[in-house]
Amino acid sequence: MRVSQRVVNEELRASLQRCLCKLQEAIKVTSSGKRIELPSDDPEEIDELLGYKIDLRRSEQMAKDAQNALTFLNTTETILNQVEGLLGRLKEIAVMGASDTLNDRDRAALAEEVKQIKEELVRLANTSVAGQHIFAGTATTAPPYQVEGDRIVYKGNSGAILRQIGPNETIQINLPGDEVFGTEEGGLLATVAKLEENLRDGNVGAVREAISELDEHHETVLAARAKVGSLTERVKSALEAMDELIARLKEFISQIEEEDLAEAAMKLAEADNAYKASLLAAARILGISIIDLLG
Amino acid sequence: MSLIGTLEISRKALNAFKTALTVTGHNIANVNTPGYSRQRVELSPSIPLDELPSGVDVEGIRRVRDLFADLKYREAIAEQGRWDVQRGVFEKVESVIGDTGEGSLLDLLDRFWAAWHDLADLPESTSSRIHLIQTAQALTAKLKEIDSHLVETLGSIDEMLEEKLLRSNELLREVAELNVEIAAVMGGGGNTSDLQDKRDAALDELSKLMGIGYSFEENGAVDLRAGGVTLVQSGEYSSLHLERTSSDVAILTQDGVEVEPSGELGGLIELRGKVSALLGEIRRIGAELITRVNELHSSGYGLDGSTGTPFFTGNDSSDIEVNSDLIDNPALIAAASEPDSPGDNSLALSIVSLRDTFDSEVKSLLTEVGSMAAQVERMAEGSKAVAERINSLREGFSGVSLEEELLDLVIYQRAFQAASKVAAVIDDLLQTVLNMV
């Protein structure tokens, strides 16, 4: 093939441009550590990569929700624990109060203690976390139990608060108050209110009846604690699975997206050398002319 | 043979070498002129009238040109033009749509769902409502940004089309004018090399612009077609213009015949189609987001018991906004499926479950953009390499080599000196003869 001046010049220009382009690419990859910045950097892998990235974000969100559910359940558990303790004391009081050896003054003192326990129970039933009353069903903005005269009225509902803790796993994390503390018509608080009244009135027969009612309520609270306990376990295992998934997804992503640093450094060195070589060639070739030799 | 006859031989030789030196000088002068093809003096021995030799004749000056290389180069440059023109624009389109980092569509859409999640965690709180509105506003702003970027891109593609058509028309006129000139000079037996070079440069540029087919007439004129439509015939040419319909554009001749060019014009029309398709996709995603979210949202209840409130307003990505009522009063955001249940988060969770659909739609949009951009990039690189290779073959054949020309310069200089010497010797001899008298 015949070679003319313009061909030499064009080739030099093109090869310098090519080398500089490769050098710039190598610098970009080395400095960011990422092989894929835009979808076109690897259209075959981008689908998979985006899939992993989307899954990662979703899993992180669900892990956050699960963590949040755990806090909610732990609070519920703590309160149920306290309720159980109070129930124990209530039963002792009921047993004492049912004894014929007590006089009215003793019973009035017991009634006073029951009153305080009742208030404590109402306070516990009205617990709120971050402005959310956890025993109110879904009517969470107001305290579910309100004392109106000697009546204790449940203002909550039996709605469910849900948490998504897995791709297809949504659980109810709240116990509506009526299931634990009961309503005006019946249940723990109603029994306690009645007990206080009967103690004050010296109504020993009715106080005796309260013992078995309290036993029933104890069962209810125990069942509720068991339910919360098993939910906690479920959320914990979901959280563990999620954490594992997150770690794996991160690994997949870095495998696809990130450039091996050693390799990137090698490529950079290669590109650098190639560029220097073509600069050298240009300097050599452009300096030579027959004019110098013809004299 | 007379001495005068011999003197005539050196006269012709001096003339021939002077012409050769002129051509060499012309070649050297044009060593860097784009599109110049080197010229050669064709010398041949004079046909003698008798048995004695009669020196050298200048047959003519020819340009060295490979018509087949021209044809191949023009095919290649049309392909290069087609992809190259798309590359620059598509790089920008990809950087706007295809980004997956912070603040990208993917990121903001994800934050939008995450904000619904957060609202589901604490539906009573005003701060999580305000946070949701802010992320939703960032999302709508991004959708509108992408939308208007694509609309602007379509506008600038149309401008580029107009610009390239203007240049094409200039070149078509130039080819027609050169056709007339070349035919005239050729008819008069003159040297058309430089005119032909000029026309070849115009044909190169036209090939890049629209991809042309051509054939030569006997008088040296060239007939030119693009997309099967004749655009230049001898001295006549047909100018092109852009015709816009509501959604599309077409290139028409002045007689209203549609031309489907390749080259840069073809590439731009192709690009226009791709960008339109992406815009359609973004609009569809925007419209779907509005419909699906609103459908669920208006079935739910706000903190104040309100229901039937749309979350977004607008029709698609061009005018999507967060409902201004919600911005004024975040309590209107519906997280609950039942009235008077501030703790009910089931509706918020249903909205979160929409993300599956949109994640996969945005993912396939990004994949599509990525593979389009990669294809354009690959084809642009590939076609550029092909065009460069053919061009260097062509340039190698037609281009000026300074070494060659400088050697020619020495050769013709020496030959000129030798022919002068012959003339001097003859002159000497004639002097001798004259002195004899």
Side-chain angles (χ1 to χ4, degrees):
Chain A
M1 151 181 177
R2 187 180 178 278
V3 176
S4 73
Q5 230 67 36
R6 262 198 322 240
V7 174
V8 175
N9 292 350
E10 276 300 304
E11 288 276 322
L12 273 178
R13 193 193 53 73
S15 87
L16 276 176
Q17 182 60 38
R18 255 197 312 275
C19 289
L20 197 57
C21 234
K22 274 193 188 145
L23 185 60
Q24 191 253 354
E25 185 65 28
I27 289 172
K28 206 178 86 190
V29 169
T30 315
S31 61
S32 72
K34 279 190 181 170
R35 203 169 61 81
I36 302 180
E37 291 270 1
L38 284 174
S40 63
D41 293 337
D42 194 341
E44 282 79 31
E45 298 254 36
I46 193 70
D47 195 56
E48 206 182 335
L49 178 65
L50 288 179
Y52 290 148
K53 279 192 166 179
I54 288 168
D55 282 351
L56 175 64
R57 288 189 162 215
R58 196 178 311 191
S59 306
E60 281 172 342
Q61 183 67 43
M62 277 185 285
K64 194 176 147 196
D65 278 15
Q67 199 64 53
N68 179 295
L70 220 48
T71 314
F72 196 104
L73 288 170
N74 281 342
T75 313
T76 311
E77 160 82 29
T78 314
I79 289 166
L80 290 179
N81 201 7
Q82 289 176 32
V83 169
E84 211 189 322
L86 292 173
L87 261 172
R89 178 65 192 145
L90 278 173
K91 271 199 283 182
E92 283 170 27
I93 293 172
V95 170
M96 275 195 279
S99 146
D100 293 329
T101 56
L102 256 59
N103 60 28
D104 284 353
R105 246 188 54 208
D106 296 334
R107 286 211 179 82
L110 286 178
E112 193 54 36
E113 193 181 346
V114 170
K115 184 179 171 232
Q116 276 169 20
I117 291 175
K118 182 185 78 182
E119 280 164 7
E120 176 67 9
L121 280 173
V122 170
R123 196 183 61 75
L124 287 173
N126 284 342
T127 303
S128 77
V129 177
Q132 196 171 35
H133 292 86
I134 61 176
F135 292 107
T138 55
T140 48
T141 41
Y145 288 96
Q146 269 158 29
V147 183
E148 295 174 358
D150 23 321
R151 300 186 311 139
I152 301 168
V153 189
Y154 182 56
K155 300 275 189 182
N157 59 26
S158 48
I161 293 175
L162 307 172
R163 286 287 180 274
Q164 199 186 355
I165 54 165
N168 294 309
E169 202 176 9
T170 303
I171 54 167
Q172 176 178 352
I173 54 164
N174 68 323
L175 294 170
D178 53 353
E179 287 178 22
V180 184
F181 299 96
T183 61
E184 204 186 340
E185 280 78 42
L188 176 57
L189 287 172
T191 304
V192 177
K194 222 162 56 194
L195 177 64
E196 183 199 341
E197 204 180 299
N198 288 330
L199 278 171
R200 237 182 263 287
D201 296 351
N203 207 340
V204 181
V207 172
R208 201 166 287 139
E209 273 170 36
I211 298 174
S212 63
E213 274 180 44
L214 285 171
D215 277 336
E216 271 171 43
H217 299 320
H218 196 186
E219 287 303 315
T220 313
V221 172
L222 279 179
R225 274 191 71 179
K227 194 172 158 193
V228 170
S230 75
L231 275 176
T232 308
E233 283 314 306
R234 217 171 124 187
V235 173
K236 272 186 183 160
S237 70
L239 196 58
E240 265 171 39
M242 206 66 70
D243 283 343
E244 214 171 285
L245 181 64
I246 288 170
R248 222 173 31 241
L249 285 170
K250 280 184 176 162
E251 200 183 306
F252 287 156
I253 289 170
S254 77
Q255 270 172 13
I256 298 179
E257 190 178 50
E258 281 167 24
E259 182 76 314
D260 178 36
L261 262 188
E263 202 174 318
M266 286 280 284
K267 279 187 189 160
L268 180 61
E270 270 170 35
D272 188 43
N273 279 337
Y275 184 55
K276 277 183 190 147
S278 37
L279 278 178
L280 199 68
R284 281 268 179 86
I285 291 168
L286 292 177
I288 296 177
S289 168
I290 197 170
I291 298 175
D292 303 332
L293 308 171
L294 279 174
Chain B
M1 174 99 209
S2 65
L3 280 174
I4 301 294
T6 313
L7 205 56
E8 175 65 12
I9 289 180
S10 25
R11 189 194 62 77
K12 281 205 274 186
L14 285 173
N15 191 34
F17 299 139
K18 204 178 71 196
T19 311
L21 282 167
T22 311
V23 170
T24 306
H26 188 54
N27 283 341
I28 291 174
N30 283 298
V31 63
N32 288 323
T33 311
Y36 177 77
S37 356
R38 72 192 153 106
Q39 296 178 14
R40 277 275 160 270
V41 177
E42 310 258 319
L43 299 176
S44 67
S46 280
I47 309 294
L49 298 173
D50 42 35
E51 71 273 20
L52 287 169
S54 60
V56 66
D57 272 343
V58 176
E59 280 274 290
I61 302 167
R62 303 254 151 73
R63 65 182 192 138
V64 181
R65 190 90 186 179
D66 181 350
L67 294 183
F68 182 69
D70 277 345
L71 187 69
K72 286 288 139 197
Y73 173 70
R74 284 170 191 155
E75 281 170 15
I77 193 83
E79 188 70 0
Q80 189 198 338
R82 175 182 162 202
W83 294 106
D84 216 36
V85 81
Q86 296 186 47
R87 177 200 232 170
V89 176
F90 225 92
E91 264 172 14
K92 275 178 237 145
V93 168
E94 195 196 6
S95 68
V96 172
I97 301 186
D99 186 18
T100 57
E102 200 111 318
S104 63
L105 179 61
L106 193 71
D107 178 49
L108 292 173
L109 198 57
D110 187 80
R111 282 170 195 270
F112 176 65
W113 304 123
W116 277 105
H117 252 289
D118 291 343
L119 179 65
D121 284 351
L122 209 55
E124 305 86 349
S125 109
T126 309
S127 65
S128 58
R129 284 163 187 270
I130 291 172
H131 175 64
L132 171 62
I133 285 173
Q134 282 164 350
T135 47
Q137 281 175 320
L139 176 64
T140 58
K142 185 72 193 177
L143 281 168
K144 281 195 290 191
E145 181 200 323
I146 292 176
D147 191 286
S148 67
H149 175 81
L150 291 178
V151 170
E152 278 162 27
T153 305
L154 285 178
S156 63
I157 291 172
D158 289 352
E159 272 170 36
M160 281 162 81
L161 275 168
E162 295 278 11
E163 217 174 274
K164 304 252 179 231
L165 278 174
L166 208 65
R167 180 69 189 140
S168 302
N169 287 336
E170 276 171 29
L171 289 167
L172 289 171
R173 200 187 64 223
E174 195 181 326
V175 170
E177 284 170 4
L178 283 166
N179 271 348
V180 174
E181 249 182 285
I182 287 171
V185 175
M186 225 179 195
N191 179 6
T192 57
S193 296
D194 294 323
L195 288 173
Q196 286 194 43
D197 275 353
K198 212 170 156 194
R199 190 177 62 188
D200 276 328
L203 291 180
D204 283 355
E205 201 181 335
L206 273 170
S207 296
K208 191 172 184 192
L209 280 166
M210 57 173 78
I212 51 170
Y214 55 92
S215 50
F216 292 98
E217 284 180 36
E218 267 181 31
N219 64 358
V222 68
D223 293 339
L224 192 150
R225 300 173 302 279
V229 181
T230 301
L231 296 178
V232 177
Q233 187 142 36
S234 297
E236 301 293 322
Y237 77 99
S238 176
S239 66
L240 300 172
H241 65 276
L242 198 64
E243 178 109 325
R244 290 174 213 235
T245 60
S246 57
S247 62
D248 220 350
V249 294
I251 294 173
L252 302 183
T253 64
Q254 57 205 19
D255 306 328
V257 183
E258 185 173 351
V259 181
E260 284 174 10
S262 58
E264 292 180 334
L265 287 170
L268 283 172
I269 288 184
E270 220 173 280
L271 177 66
R272 208 181 182 288
K274 288 177 191 166
V275 175
S276 288
L278 288 176
L279 180 62
E281 196 72 359
I282 278 286
R283 292 237 158 121
R284 198 184 53 70
I285 289 175
E288 206 177 324
L289 187 70
I290 296 171
T291 328
R292 304 277 305 262
V293 172
N294 280 357
E295 194 186 344
L296 281 173
H297 189 264
S298 49
S299 76
Y301 294 86
L303 281 181
D304 57 354
S306 61
T307 185
T309 329
F311 189 84
F312 290 118
T313 56
N315 298 311
D316 55 34
S317 58
S318 63
D319 58 357
I320 185 171
E321 292 281 2
V322 178
N323 183 0
S324 58
D325 293 346
L326 300 183
I327 300 172
D328 296 340
N329 182 9
L332 292 178
I333 293 175
S337 313
E338 302 287 333
D340 305 320
S341 312
D344 182 5
N345 59 4
S346 52
L347 192 90
L349 286 176
S350 315
I351 288 179
V352 164
S353 69
L354 289 176
R355 72 179 300 171
D356 282 344
T357 319
F358 289 97
D359 278 349
S360 66
E361 291 205 353
V362 170
K363 193 177 83 164
S364 61
L365 176 72
L366 289 177
T367 312
E368 197 184 335
V369 171
S371 60
M372 274 184 189
Q375 187 210 20
V376 167
E377 175 80 26
R378 201 173 51 240
M379 295 305 285
E381 278 299 325
S383 59
K384 188 175 156 210
V386 171
E388 270 175 5
R389 217 160 36 239
I390 297 179
N391 192 36
S392 75
L393 281 175
R394 188 174 76 146
E395 281 292 330
F397 190 72
S398 297
V400 177
S401 155
L402 273 184
E403 281 77 16
E404 215 173 80
E405 299 301 331
L406 284 165
L407 286 174
D408 278 357
L409 197 65
V410 175
I411 289 166
Y412 290 128
Q413 187 189 1
R414 292 286 177 226
F416 190 90
Q417 285 166 348
S420 311
K421 190 75 189 169
V422 171
V425 169
I426 301 295
D427 181 47
D428 215 24
L429 291 178
L430 278 172
Q431 211 67 64
T432 315
V433 171
L434 284 175
N435 286 343
M436 282 165 67
V437 184

